[in-house]
Amino acid sequence: MFFLYPTVLFLLVLPLGLFLYGFRNRATPLNSIFSKTMQKKLFFFSGGLSAHLKNRLFLLIITLLIIALARPVKQLNSLDIQSSKASIVLAIDVSKSMHNIDVYPSRLALAQKKVTAFIENSTELNIGILLYAQDAYMLYPISENPQILLTLLEQGKLSNSFKPNSNLFSALEGSVQLLEGYQNRHILLFSDGGEEVNRDKELVYLKEQNIVLSSLAFSPNITMKKLVTKTKGSYQTYTWGSSDIETLIKAIKEHKSSSTTYQYDIKQYKEYFQIPLALALLLLLLFYLPLGKKNTSLLLLLLFFISTVSTPVHAGVFDFWYLTQAKKAYTKANYKEAINYYEKADLSPQGYYNLATSYYKDEAYLNAIKAYKKAFYKQQEKQREAKIHHNIATCYVRMRKFDFAKESYITSLSFYHTKESSENLKQMIALLKVQRKNLHKKYQKLQFKAIGKNVYAPNPMFSNYAVKLTPLIPSEEEKWFKRISKNKSPFYLQKLTTHQRSQDANVSY
């Protein structure tokens, strides 16, 4: 513990000097400072205390107030803040080739889900969204509020009213317009890459603009991969889990920009000035309030109120009692009561671990995952970290989110290898294969209609003609989509002026 304003402590010379003066001369030190009239006002009530004791009490009050003004604190972990965040434009390819159904349910639908996942996990990035085909359209400019972007993506219909061919230059030029004035600039393409054509012009343009290009590919493309690599970006092919998005976010955050960034070390403190201040207020009550039988209960009540108000909320006055009661409730398998007590306490990482386990026992798996993620702390043992990731994976299994469970088991094994996590990972991989196979079969049945049955054949015959399915849409949503489809482009999009064209811009799929 130390003082934020140590120079204020020099004021302690005054009460200390008065105390020594009175002790040495056996006189009341305040008599030499205050007149008799002022002393009568100061000592309005005798309160059963002698004048000598009241003088000492008055000096103690001044001392406590000076200590409170000096701000006693305890330093907590510091925060490292960089002045320039990375700014990125998510460019979504909406050309005709992105409607292919070789990826379920389609390349574009999967791209939209990946964009949503990227935004949800990119709290430290400035993000804007752009759509492009032959032309570029701004969905939303660079923003620090991801909720707005998520809302637009949910309400947007990205599949209509765009020309079929794809022009990469429109995405690059449009992104440059959105990134104007920002440092540490990135573009992330959600695309199948277009044709295998020369991309030298695009490379020159990106280097001139000092922009890093990354790509999440929905179809292999060698020339696009070379372009991304030469700009020192990250090229990833899509996965059914979240590893592709996590890798892209990590690469973008770790990329060293040529622009200057300033790092600030923000100190965090836990304040203790409330303690001397509360004691000073209590002594003032003793100083002025006569201690009779009638006022004793009032004084005790005020003492409790002052101690409660002056104690920080996070100080955890009753934490020990809450944690003890939570442990008793957990032992009796009363998990809801245990959760209630844990949530009232100021929890350490181990406390969050116990809370997460209580949530798991109560079958509140999503809350358990959130609590497990708070159970990590710096420089912890790898075995403990592996155990937490294993428990998170188990929660995902209970929620039947096998793809997330698979990723968590892989993370757990990367810290510490256990037989149980290894076997569970194998089961998740097998389950995902079966799930994917069954989903593909259901999708194929929706695309074709049986037109006849051969008595000699064990299975019905299918035609080669795809059946157009009309989805059932609620009336309000139907009106919304009809209103959008009447426009050449959705009304919430702003068309950006671009000039250059890529070699494959005139190719229609």
Side-chain angles (χ1 to χ4, degrees):
M1 187 176 5
F2 61 96
F3 294 95
L4 282 180
Y5 307 113
T7 54
V8 177
L9 295 175
F10 287 113
L11 295 174
L12 290 173
V13 173
L14 176 62
L16 182 61
L18 289 173
F19 177 80
L20 293 175
Y21 174 80
F23 183 79
R24 183 176 179 182
N25 296 285
R26 295 183 180 181
T28 304
L30 298 182
N31 290 343
S32 59
I33 299 177
F34 299 105
S35 64
K36 291 183 178 180
T37 307
M38 190 63 187
Q39 288 180 48
K40 287 181 180 180
K41 291 182 179 180
L42 285 173
F43 309 134
F44 185 77
F45 293 108
S46 64
L49 300 176
S50 65
H52 211 69
L53 184 57
K54 281 211 167 188
N55 277 278
R56 301 289 186 272
L57 196 60
F58 186 78
L59 293 176
L60 181 58
I61 291 170
I62 295 175
T63 302
L64 289 171
L65 290 175
I66 292 172
I67 293 174
L69 286 172
R71 293 275 297 278
V73 295
K74 179 183 178 181
Q75 186 169 344
L76 303 176
N77 293 332
S78 300
L79 291 176
D80 293 330
I81 304 296
Q82 288 189 349
S83 62
S84 59
K85 290 183 179 179
S87 301
I88 184 168
V89 172
L90 308 182
I92 308 172
D93 187 352
V94 290
S95 62
K96 186 177 179 181
S97 62
M98 288 293 287
H99 294 268
N100 287 348
I101 57 173
D102 56 341
V103 176
Y104 180 81
S106 69
R107 295 179 182 180
L108 184 58
L110 183 59
Q112 193 167 349
K113 291 181 180 179
K114 292 293 183 181
V115 171
T116 301
F118 185 93
I119 295 171
E120 288 175 343
N121 293 280
S122 304
T123 55
E124 298 178 5
L125 299 175
N126 301 323
I127 303 175
I129 300 181
L130 176 146
L131 312 181
Y132 76 98
Q134 179 176 313
D135 300 303
Y137 300 86
M138 181 184 70
L139 181 66
Y140 206 81
I142 301 295
S143 171
E144 294 184 9
N145 186 359
Q147 193 58 46
I148 296 175
L149 306 178
L150 292 174
T151 302
L152 286 173
L153 282 171
E154 289 174 2
Q155 296 179 351
K157 190 175 182 182
L158 310 184
S159 57
N160 284 352
S161 306
F162 296 102
K163 295 185 178 180
N165 51 335
S166 176
N167 178 20
L168 179 59
F169 252 121
S170 66
L172 302 183
E173 287 188 274
S175 299
V176 167
Q177 295 178 41
L178 268 63
L179 292 167
E180 186 177 358
Y182 289 91
Q183 301 294 327
N184 198 357
R185 306 189 295 176
H186 296 257
I187 300 173
L188 175 55
L189 297 176
F190 292 82
S191 172
D192 51 18
E195 291 291 316
E196 298 280 0
V197 296
N198 186 282
R199 302 288 185 186
D200 289 342
K201 290 183 179 179
E202 288 88 340
L203 178 61
V204 172
Y205 181 77
L206 288 168
K207 287 186 175 180
E208 287 175 352
Q209 298 295 331
N210 193 24
I211 290 179
V212 179
L213 178 68
S214 298
S215 177
L216 180 61
F218 296 92
S219 180
N221 190 291
I222 298 173
T223 55
M224 180 61 71
K225 185 176 182 179
K226 289 181 179 178
L227 175 63
V228 168
T229 304
K230 289 178 181 178
T231 64
K232 298 181 181 180
S234 177
Y235 182 89
Q236 298 291 322
T237 54
Y238 76 92
T239 64
W240 294 112
S242 59
S243 59
D244 50 356
I245 295 297
E246 290 174 357
T247 304
L248 285 167
I249 293 174
K250 184 178 180 181
I252 291 167
K253 288 182 178 179
E254 291 180 352
H255 186 272
K256 294 182 179 179
S257 173
S258 59
S259 61
T260 303
T261 58
Y262 300 93
Q263 190 166 357
Y264 300 93
D265 186 18
I266 298 179
K267 305 293 184 183
Q268 294 188 103
Y269 303 108
K270 184 176 181 180
E271 299 277 1
Y272 289 101
F273 74 90
Q274 301 95 334
I275 297 173
L277 181 61
L279 287 173
L281 293 174
L282 174 61
L283 293 176
L284 277 173
L285 288 174
L286 292 172
F287 196 79
Y288 287 106
L289 189 66
L291 292 178
K293 292 182 179 179
K294 296 180 180 179
N295 296 324
T296 304
S297 58
L298 177 62
L299 181 63
L300 292 174
L301 182 63
L302 287 171
L303 174 62
F304 176 77
F305 175 76
I306 291 170
S307 63
T308 304
V309 173
S310 63
T311 304
V313 177
H314 58 270
V317 180
F318 302 106
D319 281 354
F320 180 77
W321 185 80
Y322 286 141
L323 295 174
T324 304
Q325 295 300 316
K327 188 176 181 180
K328 289 180 180 179
Y330 183 86
T331 306
K332 296 177 182 179
N334 192 347
Y335 303 119
K336 290 188 182 297
E337 186 178 346
I339 290 168
N340 186 37
Y341 282 120
Y342 276 126
E343 288 180 340
K344 290 179 180 179
D346 182 21
L347 297 178
S348 63
Q350 182 61 41
Y352 278 114
Y353 184 90
N354 295 338
L355 172 62
T357 307
S358 301
Y359 274 129
Y360 178 82
K361 293 287 187 179
D362 196 44
E363 298 183 358
Y365 302 118
L366 185 59
N367 289 334
I369 291 170
K370 292 178 181 178
Y372 274 130
K373 289 181 178 180
K374 294 179 180 179
F376 294 105
Y377 56 84
K378 291 182 179 180
Q379 298 178 350
Q380 65 184 357
E381 296 178 358
K382 290 185 177 181
Q383 190 172 356
R384 173 186 164 83
E385 192 149 352
K387 185 178 180 181
I388 294 175
H389 283 293
H390 177 93
N391 291 348
I392 291 173
T394 307
C395 293
Y396 280 129
V397 171
R398 295 289 185 181
M399 296 167 66
R400 300 192 65 79
K401 294 183 178 294
F402 301 129
D403 49 347
F404 292 110
K406 173 189 168 186
E407 298 299 329
S408 295
Y409 279 129
I410 292 172
T411 306
S412 176
L413 289 169
S414 68
F415 287 103
Y416 188 84
H417 191 277
T418 61
K419 184 179 178 181
E420 186 179 1
S421 295
S422 181
E423 290 177 353
N424 289 353
L425 176 60
K426 290 178 182 178
Q427 291 180 11
M428 289 304 102
I429 293 172
L431 279 170
L432 285 169
K433 285 183 179 179
V434 173
Q435 191 181 63
R436 174 67 182 169
K437 187 176 180 181
N438 293 337
L439 193 63
H440 187 65
K441 286 181 179 179
K442 289 180 181 179
Y443 182 68
Q444 282 186 327
K445 287 181 180 179
L446 289 174
Q447 295 298 308
F448 301 98
K449 183 178 179 181
I451 58 172
K453 186 175 182 180
N454 190 337
V455 293
Y456 300 102
N459 299 319
M461 296 184 299
F462 292 85
S463 73
N464 292 325
Y465 297 95
V467 178
K468 184 178 180 181
L469 300 175
T470 304
L472 298 176
I473 305 175
S475 57
E476 290 300 321
E477 290 185 13
E478 189 175 1
K479 291 177 183 178
W480 169 259
F481 288 125
K482 282 182 179 179
R483 196 159 57 244
I484 292 176
S485 61
K486 289 180 182 178
N487 296 275
K488 291 183 179 180
S489 62
F491 64 86
Y492 51 84
L493 293 178
Q494 177 183 339
K495 185 176 180 180
L496 302 173
T497 303
T498 58
H499 305 283
Q500 302 187 64
R501 297 181 67 81
S502 300
Q503 289 186 16
D504 58 339
N506 296 323
V507 178
S508 181
Y509 301 96

